[in-house]
Amino acid sequence: MELYSFPYRLRSRDVNKFRHLRPSQLFELLQEAATDHSDILHVGINEIRRQNLMWVLARQSVEILRMPVYGEEITVETWPGKTIHSLYPRYYRLLDAGGQTLVNSAAIWMLADMDERVLVPSARSGIEFGFEKRGIELSLPSPPRSFYTDCSTTFTVPFSYIDMNGHMNNTRYFDLVDNLSPAAAEGKDPSKILVEYSAELLQDQEYEILYGISDNRFYLRTGGDKPLFRIMMEY
């Protein structure tokens, strides 16, 4: 099955005080779509655990034409792209009730060894997709070209943010953005999102978080010469 889709109605838990879909919940919808489709393709969590593997998200870009709102009926779509060595592209769309695109997204997933926490190429895992593009895909994400930060805080990863892979789930990073971004507090929806995950954030560990605003963009990353993650939100 090349394309997987499901209907969804936004509930109170999905939205912020402005009744718009939270970015963290947007990424959760996309994550669950990928998880469900992986099960259908027989490469889901239970199947790859037999090889001691886990799916990890490396990069994701999102283009938001309009954020859906509380009570709205939407359709979530996802489909994989062609495997490139150890890279597993995956694409997503959110559609409104009339079939108009609300959100486009493209992600790069990878496989990692559960114990060694190192990436595993498709030649070793035997997992490979050969699906062709539909012609509507967002370009695969590349690292941010520039990054501006002038503020800092500390953050300790709580137990509630830890997922089945034993690290902070990718969706929870956007709660950090909402808590630190003035644009989010003002009720502004992002129009573009770019995120890059380079290493794990672990339970009960304290991290220095750097952030800043330049023009209409909000930036967030960990401190140090080699950030563990980087997020850019354009409003």
Side-chain angles (χ1 to χ4, degrees):
M1 185 185 298
E2 181 175 344
L3 173 69
Y4 173 69
S5 67
F6 61 89
Y8 188 80
R9 181 178 64 83
L10 267 66
R11 296 165 171 80
S12 59
R13 67 180 182 229
D14 300 316
V15 300
N16 57 26
K17 76 175 196 176
F18 303 101
R19 301 168 65 93
H20 288 196
L21 180 63
R22 297 177 187 272
S24 60
Q25 292 301 105
L26 166 62
F27 277 82
E28 190 164 313
L29 280 173
L30 303 182
Q31 176 181 259
E32 292 307 308
T35 300
D36 290 348
H37 197 202
S38 294
D39 285 335
I40 293 170
L41 296 171
H42 306 294
V43 290
I45 294 171
N46 292 332
E47 288 85 356
I48 65 173
R49 281 290 194 273
R50 299 188 184 105
Q51 300 183 58
N52 204 41
L53 299 176
M54 61 182 181
W55 286 109
V56 294
L57 185 59
R59 293 179 193 151
Q60 189 160 5
S61 58
V62 178
E63 179 183 82
I64 300 167
L65 304 177
R66 178 178 70 80
M67 270 295 199
V69 299
Y70 171 70
E72 185 171 0
E73 298 276 356
I74 63 172
T75 298
V76 183
E77 291 185 345
T78 186
W79 62 100
K82 186 175 181 181
T83 302
I84 309 168
H85 303 298
S86 60
L87 308 180
Y88 295 87
R90 178 168 281 278
Y91 304 96
Y92 312 80
R93 285 201 308 169
L94 265 59
L95 308 174
D96 68 12
Q100 296 298 306
T101 300
L102 298 172
V103 176
N104 278 310
S105 180
I108 298 174
W109 288 85
M110 306 181 81
L111 286 166
D113 186 281
M114 284 288 295
D115 295 329
E116 299 177 8
R117 318 301 269 193
V118 296
L119 299 178
V120 174
S122 59
R124 175 184 153 189
S125 69
I127 297 173
E128 188 169 345
F129 301 118
F131 295 133
E132 297 298 324
K133 290 186 176 181
R134 300 171 64 197
I136 58 173
E137 290 84 356
L138 195 64
S139 298
L140 287 176
S142 56
R145 294 182 180 179
S146 60
F147 219 86
Y148 174 81
T149 58
D150 62 350
C151 299
S152 68
T153 188
T154 57
F155 169 70
T156 301
V157 180
F159 169 77
S160 61
Y161 281 16
I162 301 299
D163 63 17
M164 289 186 289
N165 290 332
H167 56 217
M168 180 163 150
N169 186 264
N170 76 85
T171 66
R172 301 278 68 84
Y173 289 73
F174 297 94
D175 289 329
L176 283 178
V177 173
D178 272 358
N179 290 331
L180 293 171
S181 168
E186 294 168 5
K188 296 179 180 177
D189 292 326
S191 57
K192 293 182 181 178
I193 303 173
L194 176 61
V195 57
E196 177 182 44
Y197 304 99
S198 301
E200 302 171 290
L201 296 192
L202 303 175
Q203 181 183 338
D204 298 330
Q205 295 297 304
E206 184 178 87
Y207 299 93
E208 180 188 26
I209 303 296
L210 306 180
Y211 60 100
I213 301 169
S214 180
D215 296 326
N216 61 335
R217 293 181 174 180
F218 179 82
Y219 299 92
L220 186 78
R221 68 175 179 90
T222 51
D225 295 332
K226 295 182 179 180
L228 305 183
F229 75 90
R230 295 190 294 174
I231 295 175
M232 186 279 292
M233 306 272 280
E234 185 173 310
Y235 291 91

